[in-house]
Amino acid sequence: MSVTHTHAAAPPVPTLDVERIREDFPILAQEVNGHPLAYLDNAATSQKPTAVIDTLRHYYERDNANVHRGLHELSRRATDAYEAARATVAGWIGAPAPSELIFTRGTTEAINLVASSWGEANLAPGDEILLSELEHHSNLIPWQLVAKKTGAVLRYLSLDDDGRLILDDLPGILGGGRVRIVAIAHVSNSLGTINPVAEIARQAREAGALVAVDGAQGAAHHPVDVEKLGADFFAFSAHKMCGPTGIGALWVRGEILERMPPYQGGGEMIDLVGKHESTWAALPHKFEAGTPNIAGAIGMAAAVEYLRTIGPEAILRHEQDLVGYALDALGDSPGVRLFGPPEPSERAGVVSFRMAEAHPHDISTVLDREGIAIRAGHHCAQLVMQRFEVGATARASFYLYNTKEEVDRLVRGLDTVRSIFGGD
Ligand code: C6P
């Protein structure tokens, strides 16, 4: 176990033993450009612990075969491990049944699945899809595409100056009676804002609308229970939560999934095939056409098992601790403009900022020379950039293995940026 317990609070949230956790991530023990790596780009993708790397190696060295097809030992093993992975991943988000969880390539494919399958079958001209200004493009473009096909109309919740959704507008929008689905991020990747999804879902449900949650930044950094959230769809990616790239999942409430038409056709997803008509496999296989990412799913489950030993509550608390520390330090740093809610408790481990002296790309380039990895750009959230009238921000994003010393290095790195671009 990589945690020690504090005695103050009840119920106690474990405090992370970060030095110990760092040993689980071999990639962190390297120098980049002559400096120890400070990996502060976790919202883009997280690093992978040995437990996940070993699971993938073991699968390929011992069990690799196709699933649900063969009657031989290896195929049985692969199938058992793949289906066990489904149950483990479903458990991570509190899904009532593993059969409601579909493996996808990631959050992006999961949202495209919802928009295409559910959207094309259920949306009619004049129906409304409610999004928000803080959505990642993965939770915008699929809805724009389905709106064009069906004649549905896109509506938006706005952001206040601190990057929070303006919930006061919600009753008015829902009160129009046209909203069929609310598609909203659990946590903003560009600002870190944790959205009040349960409250939004409560109001949406009362208005007869479904709720689709983009959980890409939620499932990795925040405890998730889809039932408590009141979600009907929940999409997330393994690579942001210590798992492999190219695998993620979509949970759909059972009675909705039953009525959704297939998303893609091919092997695996059929029952009986005729020349003109075919019937579909049972759930969830109806939505998993072709050979799935078997190793990826097993690796995703290994990531869940790993994160379980740490605990999502402890991870979130650690991130909020780092965010609070970073907001204080960056707030004292001359010429730095911070974005997002001022209270660390309102956000996950993301800090977006700009400097008066330098473009975010220049900040990132200078920091990279000091071994510090951050992301600079629009973060696939151009509506957020438009809301704050900037083209880009610099973004540091934290995870369970990051330290206050790394935040200190980030802040000192900005002094270097200032000395290069500040004209002193
Ligand atoms: N955000 C970031 O640097 P995929 O690529 O399918 O695993 O996840 C897409 C996605 C969807 N929603 C949110 C809120 C996200 O943050 C992301 C991925 C990365 O912020 C890469 S752009």
Side-chain angles (χ1 to χ4, degrees):
M1 284 282 283
S2 301
V3 292
T4 54
H5 289 265
T6 53
H7 302 286
V13 176
T15 303
L16 300 190
D17 180 353
V18 177
E19 284 316 311
R20 163 69 200 85
I21 286 172
R22 288 179 71 82
E23 291 170 11
D24 294 337
F25 292 82
I27 202 168
L28 298 178
Q30 66 177 295
E31 294 206 333
V32 168
N33 296 325
H35 300 271
L37 169 64
Y39 185 78
L40 305 180
D41 195 16
N42 294 284
T45 197
S46 68
Q47 298 303 347
K48 322 303 173 198
T50 306
V52 169
I53 298 166
D54 285 351
T55 298
L56 293 172
R57 172 184 289 275
H58 180 275
Y59 170 73
Y60 278 124
E61 284 183 352
R62 299 222 2 114
D63 300 334
N64 177 51
N66 213 327
V67 290
H68 305 133
R69 291 172 165 85
L71 292 176
H72 57 80
E73 169 66 16
L74 262 54
S75 177
R76 261 193 304 277
R77 276 193 225 154
T79 303
D80 288 352
Y82 182 69
E83 291 305 328
R86 192 189 305 280
T88 301
V89 173
W92 180 247
I93 56 163
S99 59
E100 297 173 355
L101 189 114
I102 301 156
F103 281 119
T104 64
R105 282 194 296 128
T107 305
T108 302
E109 189 181 46
I111 297 171
N112 275 280
L113 194 165
V114 179
S116 296
S117 171
W118 180 87
E120 287 179 30
N122 288 282
L123 292 169
D127 283 347
E128 291 176 357
I129 302 165
L130 179 57
L131 307 168
S132 89
E133 285 179 349
L134 62 58
E135 300 312 312
H136 186 280
H137 300 161
S138 290
N139 201 31
L140 292 176
I141 311 302
W143 299 110
Q144 290 183 356
L145 292 173
V146 75
K148 284 235 158 57
K149 278 190 188 153
T150 61
V153 176
L154 301 177
R155 304 283 306 269
Y156 284 89
L157 273 179
S158 309
L159 288 175
D160 70 16
D161 290 343
D162 287 329
R164 296 186 202 92
L165 297 179
I166 301 179
L167 283 202
D168 291 350
D169 294 344
L170 192 56
I173 297 172
L174 291 172
R178 307 301 310 244
V179 177
R180 299 292 315 279
I181 190 161
V182 179
I184 209 97
H186 193 185
V187 173
S188 157
N189 69 313
S190 56
L191 301 170
T193 318
I194 300 173
N195 288 325
V197 173
E199 173 56 21
I200 293 169
R202 190 189 63 73
Q203 294 192 34
R205 188 167 296 263
E206 272 179 26
L210 298 182
V211 177
V213 180
D214 170 355
Q217 301 291 346
H221 303 271
H222 195 274
V224 175
D225 183 325
V226 289
E227 294 282 35
K228 283 194 191 139
L229 274 185
D232 298 294
F233 305 89
F234 190 91
F236 58 120
S237 301
H239 71 96
K240 295 190 195 291
M241 46 186 280
C242 297
T245 49
I247 184 77
L250 171 69
W251 170 77
V252 185
R253 190 174 292 289
E255 63 265 28
I256 300 169
L257 191 59
E258 296 279 356
R259 295 197 301 271
M260 280 167 50
Y263 170 55
Q264 293 179 328
E268 281 278 299
M269 52 75 71
I270 45 77
D271 181 20
L272 288 174
V273 174
K275 278 192 176 154
H276 301 285
E277 292 288 336
S278 297
T279 56
W280 314 133
L283 295 174
H285 309 293
K286 173 178 160 186
F287 290 96
E288 292 182 356
T291 300
N293 184 349
I294 305 161
I298 293 167
M300 184 174 189
V304 165
E305 299 289 8
Y306 176 79
L307 290 174
R308 231 183 229 137
T309 66
I310 315 277
E313 291 83 5
I315 295 172
L316 180 65
R317 197 175 82 164
H318 176 68
E319 288 182 19
Q320 290 180 333
D321 208 26
L322 291 177
V323 164
Y325 188 74
L327 290 179
D328 285 348
L330 291 170
D332 290 341
S333 188
V336 169
R337 175 182 172 195
L338 291 164
F339 298 82
E343 287 301 320
S345 59
E346 293 179 274
R347 47 208 287 173
V350 171
V351 176
S352 256
F353 62 95
R354 284 176 64 92
M355 294 178 75
E357 298 87 348
H359 188 275
H361 287 174
D362 294 323
I363 299 172
S364 176
T365 304
V366 172
L367 292 175
D368 179 50
R369 293 204 318 224
E370 302 191 0
I372 303 165
I374 64 159
R375 183 172 172 188
H378 55 57
H379 315 295
C380 303
Q382 289 190 31
L383 297 189
V384 174
M385 302 299 127
Q386 287 163 24
R387 166 63 180 82
F388 291 102
E389 298 179 342
V390 295
T393 69
R395 182 190 70 182
S397 52
F398 310 124
Y399 209 11
L400 69 168
Y401 37 67
N402 290 122
T403 65
K404 288 187 176 160
E405 290 69 38
E406 290 176 320
V407 177
D408 291 339
R409 284 180 56 199
L410 169 73
V411 175
R412 282 201 302 276
L414 301 190
D415 293 336
T416 315
V417 174
R418 224 170 267 116
S419 70
I420 297 171
F421 293 96
D424 291 341

